[in-house]
Amino acid sequence: MRHIYIRGIIGLIWLITAIVCGGNGSFLMMGFSIILAAAFLYSAYTAWKKEKDGKGDR
């Protein structure tokens, strides 16, 4: 379960980075950060759904 929290936190950090980059006008880095945030958050969501449904590695 810890890996889900870590992926979620990293995804939120990338999302905050995207917001800051957008505010500074660095739209290329904002797009890159949004892609990374989406990847981490999607990964955390799918792992959470898998654990919730009882399909974990245990």
Side-chain angles (χ1 to χ4, degrees):
M1 190 72 175
R2 214 176 334 169
H3 61 281
I4 297 171
Y5 294 137
I6 291 171
R7 289 177 193 173
I9 290 170
I10 292 173
L12 290 176
I13 289 171
W14 278 112
L15 195 59
I16 291 169
T17 304
I19 293 169
V20 169
C21 287
N24 289 337
S26 178
F27 296 112
L28 182 63
M29 282 304 294
M30 182 184 77
F32 180 68
S33 298
I34 288 173
I35 291 170
L36 283 174
F40 273 100
L41 291 174
Y42 179 74
S43 173
Y45 176 74
T46 56
W48 174 73
K49 279 297 253 191
K50 188 183 289 187
E51 289 241 350
K52 184 178 174 189
D53 294 338
K55 299 177 188 172
D57 294 326
R58 296 179 188 181

